[in-house]
Amino acid sequence: MRNFKNTLTLAVAAATLGLAAPALAQEVKIGFLADVTGPIAGFAPGMVDAGNLAIANVNDQGGILDGQTLASVLADSACDGGAAGPAADRLVNAENVIAIFGGYCSGATIAGANGSAIPGNVVMISPASTAPAVAELADNDLVFRDVVPDSIQGVKAAELLIAQGVTEVGVTYVNNDYGSGLAGAFEEAFKANGGTVLASVAHEDGKADYRPEIGQIEAAGATTLVIYGYENAGGGAILNQAVEAGSFDLFVGGDGMAGEALLASRNGADLEGMILTQAAPAAGPAFDALVALTAAAGQDANGTYVTNSYDAVFLLALAIEKSGSADRDGISAALREVSNAPGETILPGEWSKAKELIAAGTDINYEGASGTVEFDDVGDVAGAINYFVVEGGAVVNKGLID
């Protein structure tokens, strides 16, 4: 099995230099529009590795179409629309990729789609772009995502807090598509359920001092602070400075705050009772299949957005196979044919089985490790939201929000 971390390192170096690894003959290239730098850089390696694992599983079982192989080409979108534009342009117009896995951050996905993917007729699947604005793109049915959108996460978070007796909150959100979209969905639902948003304050990443934002929310009388930002950027800094000042009794965060690093550099006692929301982890045969594949590759299926990432790339491979050619045309329609019921079940890694069924003209239905992947008319999936609570120095999964 190849060393995926070394592959990522080389790819990032190539992206940084504006270069790409030379393509071999008979390669079908999938672009990885990946935020390997920026505020979610801590998530990205596991996501890129999962995508490359899907490619390895396909190639190890005979490759794609008539014996061709899949290859990934990485471009760093840095969780930033300004960086994502030229990164996507390189993938679409210089590398001539057939499809794109990514972006990760919503702003990167939107910029990459509008700038290059949609004009270039290139399908994108994001494993992590949750902003409602993604669903509003005039995308010619080219932009998909296999992650639960914030229109669901924000509503469920609001319902959870109301059910737990929290009726007044202050909100701070990163000033981008992800933060504003999630905050908007939460605030609308919170108010509709009888709650009061005492203050709602946008913040910018990269600042050293967030005391003005914290002070504005504290002055409004809030004792519960909802943070919709990134753990290793402004959201994490606000959390640290609010804890240091003793400003709030309860903290709440979304999936951008829920990374493995949340407690790595913080005293769990300071965050006791903190509530986090995130798309529900998968369970069942599809997830078990991915666990076995990732274990064999030295990866972790439980990493942030790992299941979504594997599913996204494997689905792209299935759609290319279903379309019958290494052309961009037809992949969008084929995606729903391989993912949506009815059809014979395909689990992660079952490439040979899928290829034989497609060749025989049999309908298939990919069951994702991230959950049931059934794309609706705008390329979204439905799903459930879990919540987690910091208890005794650990993040404890409390299960689904009813």
Side-chain angles (χ1 to χ4, degrees):
M1 191 66 67
R2 71 185 69 182
N3 186 318
F4 295 105
K5 290 188 177 179
N6 288 343
T7 301
L8 172 61
T9 300
L10 292 172
V12 172
T16 302
L17 295 172
L19 304 173
L24 302 175
Q26 303 300 308
E27 279 188 338
V28 177
K29 295 191 285 188
I30 294 178
F32 281 27
L33 188 63
D35 302 315
V36 294
T37 61
I40 66 163
F43 300 168
M47 297 166 72
V48 171
D49 284 353
N52 276 321
L53 177 60
I55 287 177
N57 292 159
V58 170
N59 290 339
D60 290 346
Q61 296 176 54
I64 203 159
L65 300 171
D66 54 354
Q68 300 180 69
T69 58
L70 277 181
S72 64
V73 181
L74 186 143
D76 182 13
S77 44
C79 194
D80 177 76
D89 178 70
R90 180 169 70 84
L91 292 176
V92 171
N93 298 311
E95 295 293 345
N96 294 310
V97 301
I98 190 173
I100 289 176
F101 158 56
Y104 299 171
C105 290
S106 298
T109 294
I110 292 169
N114 284 331
S116 298
I118 296 171
N121 194 35
V122 174
V123 164
M124 302 174 70
I125 300 184
S126 172
S129 295
T130 55
V134 174
E136 299 166 4
L137 288 169
D139 64 358
N140 297 325
D141 203 30
L142 292 169
V143 180
F144 295 75
R145 51 184 172 179
D146 64 352
V147 62
V148 180
D150 288 333
S151 54
I152 297 175
Q153 183 183 177
V155 169
K156 287 296 184 181
E159 292 174 352
L160 174 67
L161 292 188
I162 293 293
Q164 295 192 350
V166 179
T167 59
E168 294 183 341
V169 299
V171 178
T172 181
Y173 58 91
V174 60
N175 190 21
N176 63 15
D177 292 293
Y178 163 72
S180 62
L182 181 51
F186 168 81
E187 290 174 20
E188 182 178 354
F190 193 71
K191 294 172 185 176
N193 282 277
T196 300
V197 178
L198 296 170
S200 182
V201 180
H203 67 261
E204 304 291 341
D205 283 333
K207 293 174 56 178
D209 184 7
Y210 290 95
R211 285 175 294 181
E213 292 88 345
I214 294 169
Q216 184 178 343
I217 297 170
E218 189 176 21
T223 57
T224 295
L225 177 62
V226 179
I227 305 173
Y228 286 138
Y230 304 117
E231 179 278 326
N232 65 338
I238 287 171
L239 179 63
N240 293 341
Q241 291 174 24
V243 167
E244 189 175 307
S247 301
F248 303 97
D249 299 330
L250 175 65
F251 296 102
V252 180
D255 51 343
M257 297 293 293
E260 294 86 350
L262 178 68
L263 296 183
S265 59
R266 297 178 177 90
N267 185 342
D270 292 335
L271 303 182
E272 186 74 14
M274 182 176 184
I275 298 171
L276 301 158
T277 58
Q278 194 172 35
F287 180 70
D288 293 342
L290 184 60
V291 168
L293 293 169
T294 53
Q299 300 178 26
D300 180 9
N302 293 296
T304 303
Y305 294 122
V306 163
T307 56
N308 308 79
S309 297
Y310 183 95
D311 288 345
V313 176
F314 204 77
L315 277 165
L316 286 174
L318 289 170
I320 295 166
E321 187 72 25
K322 179 69 175 179
S323 72
S325 74
D327 294 326
R328 294 169 178 176
D329 291 337
I331 296 177
S332 174
L335 261 177
R336 288 191 179 85
E337 293 180 38
V338 299
S339 63
N340 292 12
E344 187 160 341
T345 298
I346 298 296
L347 300 179
E350 292 187 334
W351 179 254
S352 296
K353 175 182 175 182
K355 190 171 174 117
E356 290 174 5
L357 290 171
I358 290 171
T362 303
D363 289 337
I364 65 171
N365 178 20
Y366 179 71
E367 289 292 333
S370 59
T372 301
V373 181
E374 296 274 331
F375 291 116
D376 64 16
D377 290 344
V378 297
D380 278 355
V381 298
I385 301 296
N386 268 26
Y387 78 103
F388 306 77
V389 177
V390 176
E391 293 180 348
V395 178
V396 180
N397 187 344
K398 294 295 187 175
L400 296 176
I401 301 175
D402 295 330

